[in-house]
Amino acid sequence: MTGSLLDRFGRNIEYLRVSVTDRCDLRCRYCLPTGFNGFEAREEWLDFGEIERIVAAFVRLGVKRIRLTGGEPLTRRGITELAGRLAQLAGLEDLSLSTNGTQLAGLAAALKAAGVSRINISLDTLDRHRFEALTGRDALAEVLAGIKAARLAKFAPIKINMVVLPDTSAAEIDAMVSYCRDSGLILRLIEAMPIGASGRGVGFVSIQPTITRIQEKFNLVAGIAKGGGPARYLVSSDGRFSMGFITAMSRHFCATCNRVRLAADGRLLLCLGEDASADLRTSLRQGISDNQLDAQIRSAIARKPYRHEFNERPEKIVRFMASTGG
């Protein structure tokens, strides 16, 4: 390993999110535009050998955490094989995965055996009819079955990601808090971001008032939880329940950003709110050496922007969330 991967602002990049597909079996209204069908052709995706080579380069350069994402990563055939290959990389300390949970019941045990240690599951409501309205599918039962399978497989921790929309009710949030607390899950509330027309179309609501209300209602205090992301956490007084808040809009965390994203087509995306990227796929397919790959990654990290402009220029990002990589 060749040490730390620092950007020009002195931030240590130690976390890479790897999208294995831009496709998803749900149509969450803040993620994919209605009727969208312009996905990448499968031959434009990185193959497993290319993903492994890029991840190995990041690990050589000091990255400790890898998260597999999508789209929906569990729709990519052979995902457990890829997880197993990445888990064997010397120097990698944490391999995790984000999923919508619809396919998880049948894959949880295999993913755990392959070396995935932590799972994040997207779930915005526990109401079946609202779930279908938000995602375009009556699949809440499948997601809940996936969560049960993840618990049985002994993933730790299991985090539930709930995007808070302008029409999300306090009752929905409270029901999710109770469900996660009773099930031994970590709940994270996430502010919707204006990524693509679909992201801008749902509108924005700050979760700062919700943080105050939840803290008082459920008697939570400041705490921490395992992970490499930007969430701030509250915990119960007995330490048995944790709840996180990702506030990219109302209180951004750009000064401590430690991550970049690898899109399914091989673009290294340097910031959620910027189009800055590096085309690693073309370089790989032109026969770049490992030393040249390391240098290209370092050069890209040197161009990582300091912060997003979601509030100042919400129209800036055209790509949608599914093509960004979780």
Side-chain angles (χ1 to χ4, degrees):
M1 190 151 46
T2 58
S4 300
L5 189 58
L6 299 176
D7 72 5
R8 56 187 162 148
F9 304 105
R11 296 174 297 192
N12 184 20
I13 308 305
E14 60 175 7
Y15 186 11
L16 175 67
R17 300 190 180 197
V18 178
S19 173
V20 298
T21 176
D22 61 339
R23 304 187 185 199
C24 187
D25 56 351
L26 297 181
R27 292 284 179 139
C28 296
R29 69 188 198 198
Y30 51 80
C31 184
L32 283 171
T34 301
F36 179 83
N37 200 31
F39 298 105
E40 300 277 359
R42 294 180 189 274
E43 59 267 22
E44 294 177 333
W45 296 344
L46 295 173
D47 64 32
F48 286 176
E50 291 167 334
I51 292 173
E52 184 178 6
R53 191 171 173 210
I54 291 172
V55 171
F58 271 94
V59 173
R60 279 197 304 274
L61 294 170
V63 166
K64 306 292 187 184
R65 303 175 185 271
I66 302 294
R67 175 173 294 277
L68 298 175
T69 73
E72 172 46 48
L74 301 190
T75 64
R76 178 83 187 253
R77 184 175 300 176
I79 186 65
T80 55
E81 174 199 342
L82 175 64
R85 289 165 63 169
L86 299 182
Q88 297 302 312
L89 292 173
L92 180 62
E93 296 180 357
D94 182 56
L95 179 63
S96 58
L97 181 140
S98 291
T99 175
N100 63 28
T102 60
Q103 312 291 320
L104 187 56
L107 289 170
L111 288 166
K112 187 67 164 62
V116 177
S117 59
R118 299 186 297 114
I119 283 193
N120 289 7
I121 302 167
S122 297
L123 180 60
D124 298 329
T125 183
L126 291 169
D127 181 271
R128 176 182 172 185
H129 298 294
R130 180 159 165 79
F131 182 96
E132 184 174 10
L134 287 172
T135 68
R137 263 186 72 191
D138 181 10
L140 177 60
E142 287 95 320
V143 176
L144 296 179
I147 293 172
K148 181 178 180 180
R151 293 175 63 198
L152 289 172
K154 301 190 181 305
F155 285 99
I158 300 170
K159 297 179 181 178
I160 303 300
N161 289 343
M162 180 182 188
V163 176
V164 178
L165 303 173
D167 59 351
T168 300
S169 69
E172 281 184 284
I173 295 173
D174 291 355
M176 193 71 77
V177 172
S178 297
Y179 167 71
C180 291
R181 181 188 58 192
D182 296 344
S183 303
L185 309 169
I186 295 175
L187 174 61
R188 303 198 305 174
L189 300 186
I190 302 174
E191 291 178 342
M193 292 172 280
I195 297 177
S198 50
R200 291 187 291 275
V202 298
F204 165 70
V205 59
S206 170
I207 63 173
Q208 296 299 334
T210 298
I211 295 173
T212 301
R213 184 184 69 81
I214 289 291
Q215 184 169 11
E216 293 175 354
K217 179 169 183 175
F218 291 93
N219 191 29
L220 304 177
V221 297
I224 58 174
K226 181 179 180 180
R232 293 180 294 121
Y233 284 91
L234 298 174
V235 300
S236 59
S237 56
D238 61 8
R240 298 178 64 183
F241 173 64
S242 299
M243 185 171 179
F245 306 89
I246 299 179
T247 57
M249 300 291 289
S250 65
R251 187 178 298 174
H252 73 77
F253 33 82
C254 301
T256 57
C257 183
N258 64 346
R259 70 203 67 89
V260 290
R261 290 167 169 81
L262 181 66
D265 63 2
R267 287 174 300 142
L268 183 63
L269 302 171
L270 305 176
C271 173
L272 267 181
E274 296 286 340
D275 283 325
S277 65
D279 181 3
L280 301 185
R281 184 191 67 190
T282 296
S283 297
L284 288 181
R285 294 181 182 179
Q286 290 176 345
I288 193 172
S289 69
D290 284 350
N291 286 340
Q292 290 171 324
L293 178 58
D294 291 358
Q296 185 177 7
I297 291 170
R298 286 194 181 278
S299 176
I301 297 302
R303 295 187 288 110
K304 182 175 169 63
Y306 179 68
R307 56 159 295 186
H308 65 69
E309 296 181 307
F310 285 149
N311 291 306
E312 298 85 351
R313 298 177 62 191
E315 77 289 345
K316 189 172 185 178
I317 300 302
V318 176
R319 69 177 186 272
F320 52 87
M321 195 65 192
S323 68
T324 298

